[in-house]
Amino acid sequence: VMTSLLMSMTSCGDFYDIVNSVDEPATMELDRHAVTLMVGDELTFKATFTPDELNDEDLPLYWMSEDDDIATFDDDGVLHAVAEGSCKIYATSVSATLVDECEVTVIEPWTEFNARAFGREMMVYADVKINGEAPNDDIMVAAFCGEQLRGVGEMREAQNKKYMAFRIYSDNLSPDEIPDDFDPYAETSGGDDDDDDENNEDEGPYVEVIYFQAYNRKTARFYEMDYRLAFDGETHGYLSKLIEMKNK
């Protein structure tokens, strides 16, 4: 299978073989072996060669996707996320002697969810930091319950202060139904499983736990944030006292 894939690749440079003038076997390794991108995003991979002398040659590579309908390369070797799904991508030296691969998963953008499917909402106003910095235009932050997207943060500015506002959706409990001792950090992050009512009747009311993730569209990196809360339909944080939220 790999041979047929390599034969169909197109070169991003002139054809020549790697000449290794030292005894050390030549190797090549991609900087990512598993990556998740959103539809419409792109990513440039970096390949590192050994011995070090080979990195100075700016060696041309072939790039190929196992499924161009999911992710495909342009003539400059940039990967473009096309549609939801998973596939492998391959990089090989022009002599086909050095090969490495990466598992690529493409997901729908976080903006793709139906807020009208939920009957209740709450607001969270937060001072968000990713690696110590406020989010830029490349970074998205979103709220989830289990695997289900529940809201996407919007950058705002007031009184010379930048902050992020989250409108989060649910059909969960009203505030007075949430136990006083409920700890969202000790609970799982909600979920979409339809548990049997008989199995839950002795466990008290089901409370949805909202947690947050950030995604850097430029680097295709995900970050789990250190803040979570129970959905209660209330407003959390305000301009003079924002919720502090940073990546773990």
Side-chain angles (χ1 to χ4, degrees):
V1 175
M2 190 65 214
T3 302
S4 63
L5 290 175
L6 297 181
M7 291 178 63
S8 64
M9 293 180 178
T10 57
S11 175
C12 296
D14 296 330
F15 184 90
Y16 63 91
D17 286 340
I18 294 176
V19 178
N20 189 0
S21 59
V22 295
D23 293 334
E24 182 181 355
T27 64
M28 177 191 70
E29 184 175 9
L30 295 177
D31 59 334
R32 309 281 287 272
H33 291 103
V35 66
T36 299
L37 301 92
M38 292 185 186
V39 173
D41 289 348
E42 60 185 43
L43 184 66
T44 300
F45 289 89
K46 179 182 179 181
T48 300
F49 295 87
T50 56
D52 289 339
E53 290 87 342
L54 295 177
N55 289 303
D56 297 331
E57 299 293 337
D58 192 23
L59 293 173
L61 295 174
Y62 289 116
W63 296 96
M64 180 175 173
S65 170
E66 191 176 51
D67 190 337
D68 286 337
D69 291 334
I70 295 174
T72 188
F73 285 96
D74 61 24
D75 293 338
D76 295 322
V78 179
L79 182 71
H80 296 264
V82 179
E84 188 176 10
S86 296
C87 68
K88 288 183 178 180
I89 62 97
Y90 301 94
T92 181
S93 63
V94 292
S95 59
T97 58
L98 304 179
V99 179
D100 201 5
E101 64 184 50
C102 176
E103 182 74 23
V104 175
T105 300
V106 180
I107 63 174
E108 291 292 336
W110 280 350
T111 53
E112 300 295 327
F113 80 104
N114 183 15
R116 295 182 178 180
F118 303 97
R120 304 182 66 238
E121 62 181 55
M122 73 177 183
M123 294 296 302
V124 173
Y125 299 99
D127 178 15
V128 178
K129 293 290 190 295
I130 307 297
N131 296 330
E133 301 290 336
N136 56 36
D137 292 341
D138 294 322
I139 294 178
M140 302 177 66
V141 186
F144 294 83
C145 178
E147 298 295 323
Q148 193 174 58
L149 178 66
R150 293 299 183 87
V152 180
E154 175 188 346
M155 286 300 301
R156 297 181 182 178
E157 184 172 354
Q159 301 177 13
N160 295 321
K161 181 183 297 185
K162 291 184 178 180
Y163 63 97
M164 188 163 278
F166 298 87
R167 188 179 299 275
I168 302 170
Y169 299 90
S170 176
D171 284 321
N172 205 212
L173 307 171
S174 60
D176 57 356
E177 294 178 280
I178 297 177
D180 293 336
D181 60 350
F182 182 80
D183 181 5
Y185 295 93
E187 304 293 330
T188 57
S189 305
D192 301 322
D193 295 332
D194 294 327
D195 296 329
D196 191 286
D197 291 339
E198 293 181 0
N199 295 332
N200 292 329
E201 62 182 7
D202 296 329
E203 298 178 6
Y206 171 70
V207 181
E208 287 193 340
V209 175
I210 304 298
Y211 72 100
F212 298 82
Q213 280 188 312
Y215 168 65
N216 189 322
R217 302 188 67 179
K218 188 174 183 179
T219 63
R221 300 282 185 185
F222 287 82
Y223 304 91
E224 184 177 354
M225 309 304 288
D226 66 351
Y227 179 74
R228 57 171 56 188
L229 74 167
F231 186 94
D232 58 9
E234 300 293 312
T235 296
H236 297 265
Y238 42 92
L239 191 59
S240 61
K241 192 176 181 179
L242 297 168
I243 296 295
E244 293 186 1
M245 188 186 303
K246 62 182 184 298
N247 62 294
K248 295 183 177 179

